[in-house]
Amino acid sequence: MAELIDVHTHYVPRGWPDLSELGGPDAPWLRIESETEAMIMTGSSEFRRIQADCWDAGVRLRDMDADGVRAQVVSPTPAFFHYGRSGAEAAKIARIFNDLALEITAPAPDRLIPFCQVPLQDPDAACREVERAVAAGHRGVEIGNHVGDRDLDSEGVVTFLQHCASLDVPVFVHPWDMDSSPRLDRWMARWLTAMPAETHLSILALILGGAFDRIDERLKICFAHGGGSFAFWLGRMENAWHGRNDVIGTSQYPPSHYLGRFSVDSVVFDDRALRLLVDTVGEDRVMVGSDYPYPLGERPAGAVVRTSRSLSESARQKIMYGNAERYLGL
């Protein structure tokens, strides 16, 4: 049953040009360990061990066939965003990785759907790169959930999102550059707590920062990891907007008004969480995401959606492929 469309997967090329002049001493590079294994390095530090499923289209397609996946959105790994560099440096890096992504997805363009990256710290350069990348074959763009201390409601990011809306380019928001502390260094706590919190915060910024009031409703934007903790805490936000409007009433309407302005993926791993997510954001605003090929992802992709006892069959079909077809313009 190869109906499913997976909107949340990542790639890493099997090598790239030396970035040390652009990325500084902690520039990423790939330590090849075998034909099928490698280590992402940042300078002299090990970042993440990866396998051939990050770069080999044949391996990806076999896994997709095994999981019943019709198509994947193939997005950058956020470690390569380089928002801390100059806009010019990040633009050069984005161009390198975007072109390599097209090589990875070229063997199956109908099934492997590339999303580009952009130098989001420089809105003009980001707009130029998304135009170039889409013209070259990319179908959308993945961005991080913040640029330094600037959230998604900052003027530069809003300008970029408005440009994506005008081009009908879908946007996928992925958390990155999470806070670290000794309390978050245990148990992968940055991934288990900080990552959902960052995603929640980025949705909050678009709502309470008034960005959705300024951005064209045509914008197609999706948030990773089920929108983080947003669905669980919408009531708290709503209560605060009404109870302390003097502090947080910076959006034209209360938070619940903006449901329908964004989508989320389904990678929440539990039917109870999926039920809350669908009840909160709506069955038209959830799409399957797996976080393939990383070990904290869902395999087989879409397992919770397929086996959910809380979804109607029409809702299941929307989440499995119908909503993604609309989001991607298929």
Side-chain angles (χ1 to χ4, degrees):
M1 183 174 60
E3 296 179 312
L4 186 145
I5 299 174
D6 185 349
V7 301
H8 181 182
T9 82
H10 298 286
Y11 77 90
V12 178
R14 194 175 187 271
W16 49 86
D18 182 9
L19 301 178
S20 58
E21 290 188 5
L22 299 174
D26 59 345
W29 56 282
L30 200 65
R31 188 178 74 201
I32 303 295
E33 299 187 342
S34 73
E35 285 297 312
T36 59
E37 292 196 0
M39 177 67 73
I40 301 174
M41 305 290 294
T42 54
S44 60
S45 301
E46 294 182 347
F47 174 73
R48 177 178 293 166
R49 184 172 300 280
I50 60 172
Q51 285 78 40
D53 47 16
C54 279
W55 64 76
D56 190 319
V59 174
R60 297 182 80 101
L61 291 167
R62 285 195 294 273
D63 286 347
M64 290 166 66
D65 290 341
D67 287 5
V69 175
R70 185 209 314 175
Q72 280 183 347
V73 171
V74 183
S75 293
T77 295
F80 304 117
F81 284 158
H82 286 282
Y83 293 163
R85 306 295 171 194
S86 73
E89 291 170 338
K92 292 178 181 178
I93 294 170
R95 188 179 185 113
I96 289 169
F97 279 88
N98 290 341
D99 290 348
L100 289 171
L102 293 177
E103 294 180 12
I104 291 171
T105 57
D110 293 334
R111 301 189 68 190
L112 301 175
I113 301 171
F115 269 34
C116 65
Q117 66 185 67
V118 295
L120 198 59
Q121 66 270 55
D122 184 332
D124 290 339
C127 290
R128 289 193 298 269
E129 179 57 21
V130 77
E131 288 182 4
R132 186 199 74 86
V134 168
H138 283 268
R139 303 282 286 278
V141 58
E142 180 189 63
I143 64 173
N145 69 303
H146 66 104
V147 180
D149 291 329
R150 290 178 288 153
D151 283 305
L152 298 188
D153 61 319
S154 69
E155 286 304 317
V157 178
V158 168
T159 296
F160 175 74
L161 294 177
Q162 181 59 43
H163 192 60
C164 290
S166 70
L167 298 174
D168 195 30
V169 171
V171 178
F172 188 74
V173 181
H174 197 287
W176 84 296
D177 193 29
M178 299 167 289
D179 286 338
S180 61
S181 75
R183 295 175 60 233
L184 292 172
D185 288 341
R186 301 187 294 168
W187 324 302
M188 294 191 74
R190 294 173 71 197
W191 279 260
L192 298 178
T193 63
M195 190 167 279
E198 286 285 353
T199 308
H200 178 172
L201 181 57
S202 59
I203 299 174
L204 200 64
L206 286 177
I207 294 174
L208 295 183
F212 277 138
D213 296 325
R214 309 195 301 274
I215 297 172
D216 195 307
E217 291 187 7
R218 291 177 296 170
L219 176 67
K220 296 187 290 189
I221 187 167
C222 178
F223 292 85
H225 308 128
S229 48
F230 174 84
F232 192 83
W233 289 116
L234 175 59
R236 184 176 179 85
M237 287 179 269
E238 194 83 356
N239 178 67
W241 193 93
H242 289 286
R244 289 305 310 270
N245 195 267
D246 58 316
V247 177
I248 69 168
T250 52
S251 57
Q252 188 174 351
Y253 303 101
S256 60
H257 174 84
Y258 300 93
L259 296 173
R261 291 295 304 273
F262 62 92
S263 299
V264 297
D265 74 14
S266 67
V267 64
V268 293
F269 306 101
D270 184 278
D271 189 32
R272 294 164 297 183
L274 178 65
R275 182 167 66 249
L276 174 64
L277 192 62
V278 173
D279 286 347
T280 302
V281 304
E283 63 186 41
D284 293 326
R285 294 292 173 176
V286 181
M287 299 179 282
V288 165
S290 69
D291 213 356
Y292 176 96
Y294 294 134
L296 293 186
E298 181 184 55
R299 288 294 308 275
V304 173
V305 172
R306 282 190 167 121
T307 60
S308 172
R309 293 177 292 179
S310 63
L311 294 175
S312 67
E313 194 54 37
S314 63
R316 195 185 323 275
Q317 291 176 9
K318 288 179 182 179
I319 295 168
M320 286 177 60
Y321 59 88
N323 296 336
E325 288 176 339
R326 184 180 70 251
Y327 172 69
L328 298 169
L330 298 181

